């Protein structure tokens, strides 16, 4: 497949045969997307999964390694959506993945309500204010700041799309955890699993949190999992991260 200006084709980490089209000047997949795709609970009976704000299609492509369900991705930025469409085609995954260009707040109008078993999202982390320190790159601003969608709107959308007892998983900043938990419950998604992410094994504060909940499920039963450390103190990746990347595939 030919690439457009400023595009490159990378291997999808250590997974042989999978590729991803990237634009370093605009958008690359992140570590957060990788650990979210690894974290979310997927069951054999799950038939429909959706990624809200799918970027260049990384999470949907990664999830084909973990499920036989039909996977959907929704991306509002047209150029990033184009990257996702072509990445799916590059991997011959058109029969498993459907990428849609649109606003996640309205996507239920096309896909229906209470139709998905699993919803995932790596949403913008930062609240947007008129004086926010935003990136000059509009694509990155939209990806990182709540310009097009807020945390509240993501959870509302998840509630609309999910079947009862369906699973919602997301990654976000640890310093917004209380707000996240309150918003989960506001939209009847009961938190069930949490895992705190630390930059290094000697870090004293968590930088991110993985959180998963179930819609219309009875309260309680929250499990706080072992911490996830990204790097050792010397800056090398930890054994667990290397396994998630599939760089330890021979073990």
């Amino acid at each position: 497949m030919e690439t457009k200006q400023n595009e490159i084709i990378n291997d999808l980490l250590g997974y042989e045969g999978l590729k991803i089209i990237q634009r370093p000047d605009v958008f690359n997949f992140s570590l957060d997307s990788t650990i979210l795709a690894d974290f979310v609970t997927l069951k054999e009976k799950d038939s429909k999964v959706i990624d809200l704000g799918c970027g260049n299609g990384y999470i949907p492509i990664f999830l084909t390694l973990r499920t036989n369900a039909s996977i959907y991705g929704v991306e509002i930025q047209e150029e990033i959506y184009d990257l996702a469409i072509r990445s799916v085609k590059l991997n011959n995954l058109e029969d498993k993945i459907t990428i849609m260009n649109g606003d996640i707040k309205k996507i239920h109008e096309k896909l229906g309500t209470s139709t998905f078993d699993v919803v995932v999202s790596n949403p913008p982390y930062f609240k947007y204010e008129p004086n926010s320190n935003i990136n000059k790159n509009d694509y990155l601003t939209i990806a990182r700041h709540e310009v097009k969608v807020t945390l509240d709107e993501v959870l509302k959308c998840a509630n609309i799309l999910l079947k009862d007892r369906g699973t919602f998983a997301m990654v976000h900043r640890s310093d917004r955890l209380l707000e996240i938990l309150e918003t989960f419950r506001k939209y009847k998604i009961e938190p069930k699993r949490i895992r705190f992410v630390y930059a290094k094994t000697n870090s004293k504060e968590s930088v991110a949190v993985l959180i998963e909940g179930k819609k219309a499920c009875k309260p309680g039963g929250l499990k706080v999992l072992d911490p996830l450390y990204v790097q050792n103190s010397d800056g090398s990746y930890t054994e667990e991260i290397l396994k998630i990347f599939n760089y330890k595939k021979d073990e």
Side-chain angles (χ1 to χ4, degrees), residues 172-178 180 196-197 205-209:
H172 216 291
R173 286 177 58 89
S174 299
D175 60 11
R176 293 185 68 179
L177 179 58
L178 287 179
I180 292 166
F196 291 100
V197 183
E205 296 182 0
S206 167
V207 292
V209 61

Side-chain angles (χ1 to χ4, degrees), residues 59-105:
I59 288 179
I61 292 170
F62 189 107
L63 289 181
T64 63
L65 299 166
R66 299 192 56 212
T67 180
N68 291 317
S70 296
I71 303 170
Y72 292 74
V74 186
E75 174 55 46
I76 195 169
Q77 299 192 76
E78 192 166 345
E79 286 194 49
I80 310 302
Y81 155 80
D82 180 63
L83 291 178
I85 284 284
R86 289 186 291 117
S87 287
V88 170
K89 186 176 181 179
L90 178 64
N91 291 287
N92 298 311
L93 291 171
E94 298 100 317
D95 61 330
K96 295 184 178 181
I97 300 174
T98 301
I99 304 294
M100 305 178 70
N101 180 215
D103 187 339
I104 68 171
K105 299 188 295 292

Side-chain angles (χ1 to χ4, degrees), residues 22 37 52 54 93 107-108 118 143 167 226 242:
Q22 310 236 69
L52 303 179
C54 69
L93 291 171
I107 203 65
H108 66 278
V118 179
T167 297
D226 289 340
L242 289 173

Side-chain angles (χ1 to χ4, degrees), residues 112-142:
T113 62
S114 303
T115 55
F116 285 86
D117 301 288
V118 179
V119 176
V120 299
S121 186
N122 177 8
Y125 288 168
F126 304 104
K127 292 187 177 183
Y128 181 74
E129 305 290 348
N131 60 347
S132 293
N133 182 22
I134 61 174
N135 196 292
K136 293 181 180 179
N137 184 325
D138 288 340
Y139 297 102
L140 294 178
T141 295
I142 291 171

Side-chain angles (χ1 to χ4, degrees), residues 30 32-37 39-40 49-55 59-60 63 72-75 104 118-125 143 146 149-151 153-158 161-162 167-173 180 184 209-212:
S30 67
D32 292 350
S33 293
T34 306
I35 60 177
L36 173 61
F39 170 78
V40 61
V49 178
I50 189 166
D51 178 18
L52 303 179
C54 69
I59 288 179
L63 289 181
Y72 292 74
V74 186
E75 174 55 46
I104 68 171
V118 179
V119 176
V120 299
S121 186
N122 177 8
Y125 288 168
E146 294 180 336
V149 67
T150 65
L151 173 65
E153 290 166 339
V154 170
L155 267 294
K156 181 179 180 181
C157 180
L161 292 170
L162 277 174
T167 297
F168 174 65
M170 71 183 301
V171 59
H172 216 291
R173 286 177 58 89
I180 292 166
F184 263 61
V209 61
L210 295 157
I211 182 167
E212 181 178 272

